[in-house]
Amino acid sequence: MEKRVIILGGGPNRIGQGIEFDYCCVHASFALKEDGYESIMVNCNPETVSTDYDTSTRLYFEPITFEDVMNIIEKEKPIGVILQFGGQTPLKLALPLKNEGVKILGTDPVAIDIAEDRKKFSKLLEKLNLNQPPNGTAFTYEEAKKIANELGYPVLVRPSYVLGGRAMEIVYDEESLKEYIEKAVEVSPEHPILIDKFLEDAIEVDVDAICDGQICVIGGVMEHIEEAGIHSGDSAMVLPPYSLKKEIVEEIKESTKKIALSLNIIGLINIQYAIKNDKVYVLEVNPRASRTIPFVSKAIGIPLAKLATKIMLGKNLKELNFTEEIELNYFAVKESVFPFNRFGNVDAVLGPEMKSTGEVMGIDKSFEIAYAKSQLAAGQNLPIRGNVFISVKDKDKPHIISIAKELEILGFKILASAGTGKVLSEAGVNVKIIPKIYEGRPNILDYIINDEISLIINTPSGKKPKKDIVSIRTIAVQRNIPLITTIPGAKATLYAIKKLKESQLNVIDIKEYYKMRKDGGNN
């Protein structure tokens, strides 16, 4: 009888459930075949490659539930089940399957539970002497109010065990907290509300690594372009980091290895960090493949999901000839693609809840051009001349001055709303103040409709943004005007425009970039 392995997919495709997990499942199937195993795919998504008739030995188009999976296991009698490639959905089945005597290939479900359980996770970080934002767990509004007051607003609130940042919010006051608890997805002893002190203006970092229980190799350290608080599935990211100090990056790498080895990770691990005032905080640990695995694998030229599968089957990183991190001397930028133009009434603003439905990559020797390429691929064609409309919340006004001045030097004409315009004018920027939509004409909508706006920088203010601001963002998306909704995004866009004015975009085969790697492309 053939040796069989079951792979659990991510289930139905939806916003928040990245198609990137499907990439990992497909690579797992290929790796199993290479090593002489039958691959049994369990997934119920008609839109994916994992459910193609020729990807696996057999496909079960079934829901990823305990009952359905157990029925398939009883029929197929596999040597084990792989569940770290389907995101959060199959991960929830780790302990129930183990309790039924099912062999879970890769990281032990006990380690998965430590990473998922808030109290156990906090104890692990204390033991390893690593920082995490102050946090608490609440089962009622009264408990949540007490914890939030102790931590100090703003706080990040979310239900436990959710995917894609679903129902995650940044809460700035007691009234918003009450509203949140009232509509929370589910609050029970099994599903408490998690409350973290929100680190404002922090830089967020994602790390993907691979571990065989003995050694841990960093796949990539990705610096988010947007500040902490934007879901990692939505944030633009750059590999390697472009603004972090070298010693901070080294600390992040060492912390990742410590966590991976202490959890005895067999396969992939993803860790999210926040850096504030040069202090590194661990935000969360995912003992599974993350949605950045395809991006990292493509950027470094190493199929991480394939290698992880072979590790789960008993091989080690030495045998697979991947024992050292690959250092790049070029930049790869991941940008998310959003469906805003399909949903006319959805505000085109990023936050802790994931909204993207895909991603693209820009690659170049310079960060600025790599970023420009990523924007172009995502449908944002950055302008090198024209009118820029700027309207930002009060907190962002001091930060927008230098960006507006640089854009003016580059030859752009600056248009602004009254509040932002006043600040820019006082700082010496030559700015034209545009009336609000309901105050007079020509207003910003007239300029947009007449194709007189090349770029919009608009950061959202308050939990319930004004209708006219939402409609500006919505119309900008519908008319393909590049829309920037964060200050770090505006800075990166400015750098990219500057570089685009000096040099041409060029296309180089990705294999040529691999030859530029510091290891000479020998791995």
Side-chain angles (χ1 to χ4, degrees), residues 108-127:
D108 192 292
V110 172
I112 293 170
D113 189 53
I114 291 169
E116 294 287 332
D117 184 293
R118 176 53 62 96
K119 283 178 182 159
K120 292 175 187 171
F121 178 55
S122 292
K123 273 185 192 164
L124 172 73
L125 294 185
E126 274 172 41
K127 191 177 115 191

Side-chain angles (χ1 to χ4, degrees), residues 108 169 359 380 384 413 432 464 467:
D108 192 292
E169 267 182 37
E359 60 186 41
Q380 295 233 81
I384 53 173
K413 287 190 169 57
K432 182 174 184 177
K464 291 174 182 158
K467 276 185 186 167

Side-chain angles (χ1 to χ4, degrees), residues 23 58 82 100 133 221 269 276 295 310 326 333 490 512:
Y23 164 100
R58 264 186 304 292
I82 292 174
E100 288 294 317
V221 178
I269 185 170
K276 182 159 184 175
F295 166 66
K310 298 194 175 198
I326 288 175
V333 174
E512 294 302 312

Side-chain angles (χ1 to χ4, degrees), residues 83-158:
L83 43 66
Q84 60 174 265
F85 290 145
Q88 205 69 17
T89 308
L91 216 60
K92 288 181 188 174
L93 301 181
L95 278 174
L97 289 175
K98 186 180 178 173
N99 294 339
E100 288 294 317
V102 175
K103 168 86 174 152
I104 304 297
L105 297 179
T107 304
D108 192 292
V110 172
I112 293 170
D113 189 53
I114 291 169
E116 294 287 332
D117 184 293
R118 176 53 62 96
K119 283 178 182 159
K120 292 175 187 171
F121 178 55
S122 292
K123 273 185 192 164
L124 172 73
L125 294 185
E126 274 172 41
K127 191 177 115 191
L128 297 174
N129 202 21
L130 299 174
N131 305 312
Q132 66 174 323
N135 60 71
T137 305
F139 297 93
T140 65
Y141 167 63
E142 288 306 319
E143 284 179 24
K145 186 168 84 168
K146 188 168 176 277
I147 291 163
N149 284 327
E150 282 168 11
L151 298 177
Y153 290 97
V155 291
L156 185 70
V157 287
R158 57 188 159 147

